[in-house]
Amino acid sequence: MERELSGKPSAGAGRHPLPAARDFAAAAQRWGINPDSEVVIYDGTRALAAARAWWLLRHAGLSKVRVLNGGLDAWTRAGYSLDIEEVKARPGSVELGWDKLPVIDIDEAEGFPGVLLDARAFERYTGASEPIDPRAGHIPGALSSPTTENLGADGRFLDPEALEVRFAQLGVHATEGGAGAVGAYCGSGVTAAHQILALVTIGISASLFPGSWSQYSSDPTRTPATGQTP
């Protein structure tokens, strides 16, 4: 996450800015990815890190990318074994691009014309708690949509029907959703990728605000909203 799935943090770009396209392309080749590779990503953090890697690879133009639903816990619960040996990949030859998925900047997030979803915990959205970033609250107009509500107790994504109901309650509908209609942010642009992955499973495209709250709250010219309403 810190070395290959993010760029250098700063107040102006956020805690986990997107990596440079050239750096990410080099990392993908180190991982052994080839032009015809199908990539499956998993983690042990309820798909939060895996969703970031999924989003980046899709943003870079790789189409055959999946996230293992339920992650490492689901793998072990299913009775599959684990290897303790280090795996060294043979360098791959994939040539990646960039800008294949929609993103919005801080100004576009603040004036977003559609539904802007805040993927952080509800207490951070309201401003009741802010353990990481300079100021508490949320981007004016954003709706609270904690990423944890995309998952069941087993750490797997809710089935599509349940996700459709969840997002419809926020005004996001599969028949209407598009990158210009839905945006997502979180603390530093990582959890928001998880939100976008959940939306993709029901056919909705959403724009990512990479700098997210860590960038917005660091800008003294911005005025956060607090409380339970947008």
Side-chain angles (χ1 to χ4, degrees):
M1 178 62 67
E2 306 297 334
R3 296 192 305 272
E4 295 181 320
L5 303 183
S6 302
K8 185 177 180 181
S10 69
R15 285 186 282 110
H16 290 108
L18 300 184
R22 181 173 59 182
D23 294 341
F24 185 71
Q29 290 184 351
R30 288 197 301 273
W31 301 337
I33 299 178
N34 293 301
D36 60 347
S37 293
E38 181 169 0
V39 180
V40 178
I41 307 168
Y42 73 89
D43 62 23
T45 58
R46 300 172 71 85
L48 293 179
R52 169 70 167 215
W54 166 86
W55 188 93
L56 284 169
L57 285 169
R58 292 294 304 274
H59 189 62
L62 197 67
S63 60
K64 294 186 290 185
V65 189
R66 302 186 185 192
V67 171
L68 178 62
N69 200 6
L72 189 62
D73 288 342
W75 178 268
T76 55
R77 280 197 304 267
Y80 293 109
S81 62
L82 296 175
D83 193 352
I84 61 172
E85 301 298 328
E86 181 181 1
V87 176
K88 294 184 178 180
R90 178 180 298 175
S93 59
V94 68
E95 295 290 339
L96 296 179
W98 205 241
D99 292 326
K100 304 301 182 181
L101 293 181
V103 298
I104 54 177
D105 62 23
I106 191 169
D107 292 325
E108 293 169 320
E110 190 167 54
F112 195 71
V115 179
L116 183 62
L117 301 177
D118 185 322
R120 299 172 301 158
F122 184 65
E123 59 268 23
R124 293 185 68 190
Y125 172 86
T126 64
S129 173
E130 182 44 68
I132 305 173
D133 293 313
R135 290 185 289 167
H138 59 269
I139 297 175
L143 299 177
S144 177
S145 178
T147 294
T148 52
E149 296 180 8
N150 296 330
L151 305 175
D154 60 357
R156 295 170 61 91
F157 281 90
L158 300 177
D159 61 49
E161 292 77 15
L163 285 173
E164 286 182 1
V165 171
R166 159 168 156 67
F167 287 112
Q169 292 172 342
L170 295 165
V172 178
H173 303 276
T175 56
E176 303 171 3
V182 187
Y185 77 94
C186 57
S188 63
V190 174
T191 307
H194 190 284
Q195 191 88 280
I196 292 173
L197 175 58
L199 288 163
V200 164
T201 67
I202 57 173
I204 297 174
S205 175
S207 299
L208 173 70
F209 173 26
S212 285
W213 186 248
S214 59
Q215 180 186 6
Y216 189 93
S217 63
S218 297
D219 187 340
T221 69
R222 311 287 170 170
T223 302
T226 56
Q228 298 185 19
T229 58

